Amino acid sequence: VQLQASGGGLVQAGGSLRLSCAASGRIFSSYFMGWFRQSPGMDREFVAAINGGGYITAYADSVEGRISISRDNTRGTVFLQMNSLKPEDTAVYYCAAAAQRQVFAPTPRTQYEYDYWGQGTLVTVSS
């Protein structure tokens, strides 16, 4: 699976951004898709994930209510809609894919559960 993330940029606090991640190479709907972020000097942290069918989502507490993950399996793309952005949201955002081997498999929340990674897209939120 090859992943290509896009949509990052500079935005003022309170603004919005929509990240996209296009996947190719395998059956997209058979993969969990996740977003992680990493700030300088910090560990990579979980942001959100969605199951292959697009009807189960999971979010980090720090972004709950402000960020929404969705996917379009016909286009092989996952999205991260980010609203009410804060300076602490500044980071490189990575999309990732993990094979979903069971219909009701738990949504993976750690980077070690993901098999494929995109190159990252930088989000900078100014105060």
Side-chain angles (χ1 to χ4, degrees), residues 38-113:
Q38 189 168 21
S39 304
M42 304 293 287
D43 291 335
R44 191 170 296 187
E45 66 171 347
F46 171 76
V47 176
I50 188 168
N51 74 328
Y55 52 86
I56 297 176
T57 57
Y59 296 94
D61 291 343
S62 59
V63 304
E64 186 82 52
R66 301 188 296 118
I67 288 181
S68 176
I69 188 171
S70 61
R71 65 191 295 160
D72 183 343
N73 286 347
T74 65
R75 295 166 55 189
T77 304
V78 63
F79 305 98
L80 191 71
Q81 178 66 44
M82 304 189 294
N83 302 321
S84 302
L85 283 163
K86 304 175 181 179
E88 51 263 44
D89 293 319
T90 295
V92 177
Y93 283 71
Y94 298 90
C95 59
Q100 182 173 351
R101 296 179 173 84
Q102 299 178 18
V103 173
F104 296 109
T107 305
R109 290 173 172 259
T110 73
Q111 58 179 315
Y112 309 105
E113 299 174 272

